[in-house]
Amino acid sequence: MAAPMEVALVTDAAGPLCNCSAWELHSGSALPGYRGGNSGPRGLALLGGEHLLGAQLGKSYINVWELQRKDQLQQKIICPGPVTCLTASPNGLYILVGVAESIYLWEVSNGNLLAILNRHYQDLTCLCFTDDSSHFLSGAKDCLALVWNLYSVLQAEPSQIPDPRHVWSRHSLPITDLCCGFGGPLARAATASLDQTAKLWEVSSGELLLSVLFDVGIMAVTLDLSEYHMFCGGMDGSIFQVDLCAWPVQRDRTFQTERENGKVFKGHRNQVTCLSVSTDGSLLLSGSHDETVRLWDIQSKQCLKTMNHKGPVTNAFIVLAPANMLNPDGKPSAPLPKFSKHLHGTESSYEQGSEGLTLRLGLHQQESGESYLEKARKTYSQMYSTREKNLVGDQEHLTIQVSELEEEVSTLRKINKNLFDFSARIITKPAK
């Protein structure tokens, strides 16, 4: 079986002729690019291995391509303002978008806007999910990095703004980049800032594990898959390699370029804007405002390939090529819906033109009257109390309880069947 192909996806701020270029990482062969518009910094993301999202530079919408149809924009997602950053959950179920100081969370299956989070004080600069999609991180110009529990956000009432799980406030200047390792809620996350530091954190406890001070502001940060090294891109074009397993262990460290010259990648002539490491940890991809993308051998620090662009590079990362990207006859498993501009739950769920079934945790609490869970709990308590009674002479009461239970089971079966039939009609309904 052939090894999965790794592909580099790159965007620049030059113009609309080719929004996103793609090339095979190891051979360097160019793949067809994605045309239409140009994507802003931290504004490119793969969605579920079937779509590519690109936040239009300086505009209030997101371009959407089907991965196999590179020459044609499929859809535009209209946003409330210019998009500063975006990301998609690894499971393909949610999209996060930064607009000014607010975070917008959309559900992909039905296009509902589930939450608007306003806990930052200045514009968002970067967003990222954990690998299991259970948490997401946000960084902004207010020098704060916030850790959010996705499930807490989803369960919150529309009128309430949930609290972040952690607030990281150890940076003194704007956050420029975020990177999250593997391990879900137990992962480690790295933050970069203009305050000339890169910091490593533990997502579960929120503790600061490492802080590295450099000679220049840090614009990009990434980790290799084994998390032995952290790579930091500086404003002067240098890329620094920080050993995370170095001994002795120090929480506060200063990177001295003169003494650690063998751990610096030199070649870019302007600030490094994006970094990405290959799956096997042998190659490093970097993009810069000097209008070049470079591929480095990590062991030797040698530049293996240089790709010239016509404008500052805004996004560059390595992905395992999804099947649809290489198959021109492939199609998404389901078309994307129209994304709502209004917060879900603040308007009627049955407004004209809306379709689909939405299930929300905790929604039964908004209903008046006794829920089926409460009825079942009450019935169970009655059954339990009945067991403790002397059943001699109380057979009639027991019969009544049994009949009530049978009636409850019958009602629940009918509800379940109605839900199943409704879902089947929606799923099998032919597209207009």
Side-chain angles (χ1 to χ4, degrees), residues 213-236:
L213 176 64
F214 299 89
D215 297 330
V216 295
I218 303 300
M219 302 300 298
V221 66
T222 191
L223 301 167
D224 61 2
L225 293 189
S226 61
E227 298 184 22
Y228 284 152
H229 305 291
M230 178 171 66
F231 300 92
C232 306
M235 293 189 68
D236 64 349

Side-chain angles (χ1 to χ4, degrees), residues 42 53 55 59-62 77-88 94-106 113 115-117 124 126-127 129 136 339:
R42 312 279 183 258
L53 308 178
K59 301 295 183 180
S60 303
Y61 62 87
I62 299 170
I77 301 175
I78 306 301
C79 299
V83 177
T84 58
C85 54
L86 72 85
T87 189
Y94 302 98
I95 296 174
L96 281 174
V97 175
V99 176
E101 69 276 5
S102 301
I103 304 172
Y104 289 76
L105 173 64
W106 274 282
L113 178 57
I116 303 175
L117 306 175
L124 270 293
C126 42
L127 293 163
F129 271 96
F136 61 90
F339 285 78

Side-chain angles (χ1 to χ4, degrees), residues 296-363:
W296 308 83
D297 178 73
I298 292 178
Q299 185 68 28
S300 65
K301 308 296 185 294
Q302 296 298 310
C303 180
L304 304 178
K305 186 178 181 64
T306 300
M307 301 288 290
N308 294 309
H309 286 257
K310 296 183 179 181
V313 176
T314 53
N315 297 277
F317 56 84
I318 299 170
V319 295
L320 292 175
N324 280 11
M325 180 178 287
L326 308 175
N327 180 15
D329 297 325
K331 292 183 178 181
S333 56
L336 287 182
K338 182 179 179 181
F339 285 78
S340 174
K341 293 183 289 185
H342 303 286
L343 190 63
H344 182 63
T346 59
E347 57 182 3
S348 173
S349 300
Y350 298 98
E351 62 180 3
Q352 187 176 1
S354 65
E355 296 180 355
L357 175 66
T358 301
L359 301 177
R360 287 193 62 196
L361 296 176
L363 195 61

Side-chain angles (χ1 to χ4, degrees), residues 243-259:
D243 295 334
L244 300 181
C245 299
W247 188 264
V249 178
Q250 296 176 315
R251 196 178 76 167
D252 296 298
R253 195 188 306 177
T254 300
F255 190 96
Q256 298 178 350
T257 306
E258 299 80 8
R259 296 176 56 183

Side-chain angles (χ1 to χ4, degrees), residues 61-261:
Y61 62 87
I62 299 170
N63 297 312
V64 182
W65 297 265
E66 293 180 4
L67 278 185
Q68 80 284 359
R69 300 186 66 181
K70 301 176 173 62
D71 59 341
Q72 183 178 356
L73 279 172
Q74 301 302 308
Q75 185 176 339
K76 290 184 179 180
I77 301 175
I78 306 301
C79 299
V83 177
T84 58
C85 54
L86 72 85
T87 189
S89 62
N91 59 18
L93 299 181
Y94 302 98
I95 296 174
L96 281 174
V97 175
V99 176
E101 69 276 5
S102 301
I103 304 172
Y104 289 76
L105 173 64
W106 274 282
E107 187 173 9
V108 175
S109 61
N110 51 29
N112 286 335
L113 178 57
L114 300 182
I116 303 175
L117 306 175
N118 297 292
R119 286 305 176 99
H120 283 285
Y121 306 105
Q122 295 185 37
D123 290 357
L124 270 293
T125 56
C126 42
L127 293 163
C128 72
F129 271 96
T130 56
D131 61 310
D132 66 346
S133 304
S134 65
H135 291 72
F136 61 90
L137 286 69
S138 60
K141 293 181 179 179
D142 58 8
C143 315
L144 298 179
L146 307 183
V147 181
W148 303 85
N149 185 318
L150 177 62
Y151 306 119
S152 298
V153 172
L154 295 178
Q155 291 184 32
E157 300 296 332
S159 59
Q160 299 177 345
I161 300 178
D163 293 322
R165 181 173 179 180
H166 301 298
V167 178
W168 294 337
S169 57
R170 300 291 291 271
H171 286 289
S172 57
L173 287 175
I175 306 292
T176 54
D177 199 10
L178 292 168
C179 175
C180 196
F182 284 87
L186 302 178
R188 297 186 294 180
T191 57
S193 172
L194 292 177
D195 64 6
Q196 302 185 359
T197 66
K199 301 182 187 294
L200 190 68
W201 311 79
E202 187 177 59
V203 172
S204 58
S205 64
E207 291 185 3
L208 176 64
L209 303 177
L210 175 67
S211 179
V212 184
L213 176 64
F214 299 89
D215 297 330
V216 295
I218 303 300
M219 302 300 298
V221 66
T222 191
L223 301 167
D224 61 2
L225 293 189
S226 61
E227 298 184 22
Y228 284 152
H229 305 291
M230 178 171 66
F231 300 92
C232 306
M235 293 189 68
D236 64 349
S238 299
I239 303 172
F240 310 101
Q241 177 181 313
V242 179
D243 295 334
L244 300 181
C245 299
W247 188 264
V249 178
Q250 296 176 315
R251 196 178 76 167
D252 296 298
R253 195 188 306 177
T254 300
F255 190 96
Q256 298 178 350
T257 306
E258 299 80 8
R259 296 176 56 183
E260 305 186 67
N261 193 45

Side-chain angles (χ1 to χ4, degrees), residues 382-383 386 396-406:
Q382 292 175 350
M383 286 181 58
T386 302
E396 182 179 354
H397 181 70
L398 180 61
T399 303
I400 294 174
Q401 295 296 324
V402 171
S403 64
E404 289 181 355
L405 282 174
E406 291 177 345

Side-chain angles (χ1 to χ4, degrees), residues 11-66:
T11 66
D12 60 50
L17 291 180
C18 183
N19 187 314
C20 177
S21 60
W23 44 279
E24 202 277 317
L25 191 67
H26 295 277
S27 69
S29 59
L31 302 174
Y34 296 85
R35 299 181 179 276
N38 50 338
S39 299
R42 312 279 183 258
L44 189 71
L46 279 178
L47 177 61
E50 296 181 338
H51 295 87
L52 182 67
L53 308 178
Q56 179 64 28
L57 184 62
K59 301 295 183 180
S60 303
Y61 62 87
I62 299 170
N63 297 312
V64 182
W65 297 265
E66 293 180 4

